[in-house]
Amino acid sequence: MNLRNVAIIAHVDHGKTTLVDQLLAQSGVFRANEATTERAMDSNDQERERGITILAKCTSVLWNGKAGETRINIIDTPGHADFGGEVERILGMVDGCVLLVDAEEGVMPQTKFVLTKALKMGLRPILCINKVDRAHADPDRVHNAAFDLFAAIGATDEQLDFPHIYASGRAGWATLDLNQPSDNLSPLFDLIVDHVPAPKQVEAKDKPFQILNVLIESDPFLGRLLTGRIESGKAVPGMAIKALSRDGKTIEQGRITKVLAFRGLKRQPVDDAEAGDIVAIAGMSKATVADTLCALEVTEALPAQPIDPPTISMTVSVNDSPLAGREGDKVQSRVIRDRLLKEAEANVAIRVTETGGKDAFEVAGRGELQLGVLIENMRREGFELSISRPRVVYQTGENGERLEPIEDVVIDVDDEYSGVVIEKLSARKAELTDMGPSGAGKTRIQLKCPSRALIGYQGEFLTDTRGSGVLNRVFSHYEPHKGAIEGRLKGVLVSNGDGETAAFALWNLEERGVMFVGAGEKTYQGMIIGENSRSDDLDVNPMKGKQLTNVRAAGKDEAVRLTPPRRPSLEQAIAYIEEDELVEVTPKSIRLRKQVLNPSFRKKRVREE
């Protein structure tokens, strides 16, 4: 049987997972009466809620086309820049890729990022111009822009001779010529089989067994599952193997207990798997990502693809607020440390280090969203944590100068808001590189901007553009430090005591600013209950009730009607806080607080600084 391994790569929201849905449906993976869900590959709770792909996942389809029966292993990848580590890992498992580009939005920052990685590994890309049935689609412009991108990032002559195809993932059709309509994805299947080469590993099927681990999962029945492409030999259950680290040292020896091959959306045990196929192997307990599983006679490890370093870090520490331990059951530093190290083992784009204080850990990743997803997963598992403001990870240049990460930013915004966006980002040390109309009354703005300038900017951006702007960003390179950047312009309202908030007190405080809490909620000294309308912090008493006398009865005055509080989400809270503040995260609550709860000690620290 013919075999093809292909990855589907694209910018976020360009339709990868929806296209994979249709590829699965049209290849006969689902039974006629089987219930199917939309975006079937997004199996994770957070992926469904957020509408984005977070983890790279593998599936497999059988296609009977012009070249006969072919098994196509398809890997669906995340499109968001923060999860680029997932894309970098899996590109080593495939021989070709389908680059999806939205026929209206065109080439975006993440398109450039994933394509650069794919071309560097020598993959042969297929350009799929998706969503050609959209109202403002312009396939010819997008095709030209994609060709310019290929040329700009140094594609070889062979890679520049890429085939292109037009598609509508949602409607489930693809065609090589827009003048010849189609009602299915057969042209795309046939193009993949024709253009993507068969795995060259097939020639090494008689050599000793070797596989490079790319993805790691844990199964409650089978234990650790290690996924990768077999580079040589055969994998057979019961076979004795060993695990080698990157530098060739033996980590452990064991036996393969199960070989699982991808068949549609399910993994099925198989009796053997040959070189070139993508499989999951059970039976090892210590081997992890980038390790080599191999036959006992093999001495050299397979080369692992280097991963780009993290650009943003934050401190995760034990929750030490007065309300700690009331909502979560995992509060000890030892349990938090084990969970973070487990995450770093499975996700190579995250780095965990212990700080001087044993109760706090430095977690570094690609962006606020990636770190936010990790913290959200932990709070759902019952953890209580304190999170610091994200900081950029600096590097030291050859001359000893401090270098900071710079990002490529592409903003699509209604014409009337382009001025305020450029003004705000210029004040944050961003440099405008290109600007022009993008159709439908919108302007596309392209900038180079320091990563630290974008921390906390998303909320302000949505306010400035009345929620209509779209901001896309991806890490570009390091540059010398650009100097101080102004932070949050408004101060906060801080509770000066412990207790429950009173509606009467909050009603009187509303003229001071925007509230983050409602009536009848527990609060404590040093907790942030709202945003001040001025630039300084203000200690207030949110628990003060109405003073009642014989003359002044409870129901005499007007009824207290409170404005609904502005409750920040986890990402908004992390982006909002300043250096002297923390986010308290529990399974049921997200609270903002000062690092130093006592107001006297806070003032003393400010005086000392």
Side-chain angles (χ1 to χ4, degrees):
M1 186 192 294
N2 295 323
L3 183 64
R4 298 288 184 273
N5 297 323
V6 65
I8 297 194
I9 58 176
H11 185 78
V12 66
D13 269 347
H14 280 199
K16 297 178 296 301
T17 309
T18 305
L19 182 68
V20 172
D21 271 5
Q22 291 290 346
L23 291 171
L24 287 167
Q26 295 190 24
S27 62
V29 166
F30 304 122
R31 294 190 313 273
N33 63 343
E34 187 173 349
T36 59
T37 55
E38 193 179 348
R39 299 197 328 274
M41 296 295 282
D42 285 352
S43 51
N44 183 314
D45 284 348
Q46 283 206 62
E47 289 180 322
R48 293 210 163 282
E49 290 164 23
R50 295 170 184 265
I52 58 172
T53 302
I54 293 171
L55 303 169
K57 294 178 216 58
C58 188
T59 186
S60 165
V61 299
L62 271 177
W63 178 247
N64 277 307
K66 298 173 187 170
E69 192 174 51
T70 306
R71 176 165 297 287
I72 305 175
N73 288 321
I74 302 170
I75 299 180
D76 181 27
T77 63
H80 203 285
D82 286 19
F83 308 109
E86 292 281 321
V87 183
E88 290 168 82
R89 281 191 289 172
I90 61 91
L91 288 178
M93 287 204 292
V94 296
D95 307 290
C97 60
V98 177
L99 176 71
L100 239 64
V101 184
D102 189 310
E104 186 179 329
E105 286 190 355
V107 172
M108 299 294 274
Q110 186 72 2
T111 313
K112 180 180 176 183
F113 170 79
V114 292
L115 183 62
T116 305
K117 297 287 178 190
L119 295 183
K120 197 183 287 182
M121 296 191 71
L123 299 184
R124 297 185 63 190
I126 295 168
L127 176 66
C128 178
I129 300 173
N130 194 25
K131 305 187 184 182
V132 290
D133 51 356
R134 288 180 74 170
H136 299 285
D138 189 350
D140 295 336
R141 172 181 62 82
V142 171
H143 187 204
N144 292 334
F147 186 86
D148 293 343
L149 176 63
F150 272 78
I153 57 182
T156 63
D157 290 344
E158 186 185 26
Q159 288 170 331
L160 274 173
D161 188 23
F162 58 87
H164 67 279
I165 189 166
Y166 305 100
S168 170
R170 185 175 287 279
W173 59 264
T175 178
L176 294 166
D177 184 353
L178 283 172
N179 297 319
Q180 297 178 348
S182 163
D183 59 356
N184 57 41
L185 290 169
S186 302
L188 179 58
F189 276 117
D190 289 332
L191 186 59
I192 290 171
V193 174
D194 292 344
H195 186 70
V196 176
K200 57 182 183 295
Q201 286 78 6
V202 174
E203 298 164 9
K205 63 182 179 184
D206 298 325
K207 294 184 179 175
F209 167 70
Q210 277 184 302
I211 185 172
L212 180 69
N213 299 332
V214 176
L215 302 171
I216 180 172
E217 295 169 76
S218 59
D219 183 281
F221 304 107
L222 300 173
R224 184 171 291 210
L225 290 179
L226 301 159
T227 301
R229 176 172 62 181
I230 302 176
E231 296 294 324
S232 62
K234 246 185 193 184
V236 182
M239 179 175 146
I241 57 168
K242 65 180 178 180
L244 298 177
S245 62
R246 284 186 187 187
D247 50 6
K249 291 179 182 165
T250 303
I251 300 167
E252 62 171 331
Q253 288 192 10
R255 287 188 182 277
I256 299 176
T257 54
K258 275 268 195 314
V259 178
L260 301 168
F262 294 89
R263 300 291 179 258
L265 291 174
K266 301 181 180 73
R267 274 191 295 236
Q268 293 179 356
V270 290
D271 295 333
D272 62 8
E274 293 192 344
D277 205 357
I278 295 174
V279 295
I281 286 178
M284 306 303 268
S285 59
K286 294 178 184 170
T288 182
V289 172
D291 292 341
T292 303
L293 299 185
C294 55
L296 298 178
E297 62 264 34
V298 176
T299 54
E300 286 190 15
L302 293 165
Q305 182 70 11
I307 301 292
D308 286 351
T311 56
I312 277 187
S313 73
M314 63 161 79
T315 304
V316 176
S317 54
V318 170
N319 181 18
D320 60 355
S321 87
L323 300 179
R326 299 192 185 186
E327 296 174 1
D329 55 359
K330 295 172 182 168
V331 295
Q332 307 93 331
S333 60
R334 173 182 52 81
V335 180
I336 294 170
R337 175 180 173 274
D338 291 348
R339 175 66 179 84
L340 291 173
L341 291 176
K342 182 182 171 188
E343 183 70 25
E345 181 183 52
N347 188 343
V348 289
I350 281 182
R351 196 174 61 208
V352 176
T353 49
E354 291 193 25
T355 60
K358 287 292 179 187
D359 287 349
F361 309 93
E362 192 85 8
V363 181
R366 289 283 179 82
E368 294 152 82
L369 180 62
Q370 186 189 29
L371 297 175
V373 166
L374 167 61
I375 301 302
E376 179 64 34
N377 279 331
M378 290 178 71
R379 74 180 281 234
R380 291 180 184 197
E381 292 164 19
F383 283 87
E384 287 199 11
L385 311 161
S386 288
I387 314 295
S388 76
R389 178 178 169 81
R391 303 173 294 276
V392 299
V393 177
Y394 294 105
Q395 290 192 352
T396 307
E398 294 173 2
N399 307 325
E401 60 186 343
R402 190 155 70 147
L403 304 177
E404 66 173 328
I406 303 294
E407 303 197 10
D408 284 329
V409 181
V410 174
I411 293 173
D412 285 309
V413 66
D414 290 347
D415 295 342
E416 67 260 37
Y417 303 129
S418 57
V420 67
V421 169
I422 293 170
E423 182 188 343
K424 289 277 179 74
L425 284 172
S426 299
R428 290 169 175 253
K429 313 286 187 190
E431 294 174 15
L432 184 68
T433 56
D434 193 19
M435 181 177 171
S438 60
K442 287 189 175 287
T443 301
R444 175 163 291 182
I445 306 166
Q446 298 184 27
L447 310 105
K448 297 265 186 209
C449 186
S451 293
R452 63 196 167 100
L454 295 170
I455 295 173
Y457 174 65
Q458 184 74 26
E460 196 178 328
F461 169 73
L462 290 174
T463 305
D464 290 342
T465 61
R466 306 293 185 272
S468 65
V470 179
L471 184 149
N472 293 290
R473 48 191 276 199
V474 65
F475 168 73
S476 174
H477 61 283
Y478 276 84
E479 274 186 20
H481 191 265
K482 292 185 176 293
I485 293 173
E486 196 173 58
R488 191 176 69 206
L489 298 176
K490 292 184 177 178
V492 288
L493 303 175
V494 186
S495 173
N496 64 3
D498 300 359
E500 277 194 12
T501 55
F504 179 75
L506 295 180
W507 182 62
N508 284 317
L509 286 173
E510 279 188 349
E511 62 193 34
R512 296 281 190 180
V514 179
M515 292 296 130
F516 295 158
V517 296
E521 294 185 25
K522 285 188 167 52
T523 183
Y524 53 83
Q525 187 180 55
M527 180 172 147
I528 296 170
I529 61 156
E531 180 179 79
N532 194 0
S533 54
R534 299 188 180 180
S535 59
D536 55 338
D537 293 347
L538 188 64
D539 287 302
V540 297
N541 181 2
M543 295 148 295
K544 184 179 180 185
K546 185 199 272 189
Q547 297 298 316
L548 305 181
T549 65
N550 288 342
V551 177
R552 191 175 180 199
K556 267 284 190 197
D557 295 343
E558 68 274 13
V560 171
R561 286 201 180 157
L562 295 178
T563 308
R566 187 177 89 200
R567 299 190 188 277
S569 67
L570 179 60
E571 273 92 27
Q572 288 168 341
I574 291 171
Y576 181 81
I577 55 173
E578 287 292 340
E579 291 293 335
D580 65 334
E581 295 162 2
L582 297 172
V583 180
E584 179 189 345
V585 179
T586 74
K588 295 179 185 173
S589 312
I590 293 169
R591 303 184 187 98
L592 308 184
R593 52 164 284 196
K594 289 288 184 182
Q595 273 184 1
V596 180
L597 298 178
N598 190 311
S600 307
F601 294 165
R602 275 205 306 277
K603 287 169 187 165
K604 184 181 175 187
R605 179 180 279 192
V606 169
R607 281 200 301 272
E608 286 171 356
E609 286 174 356

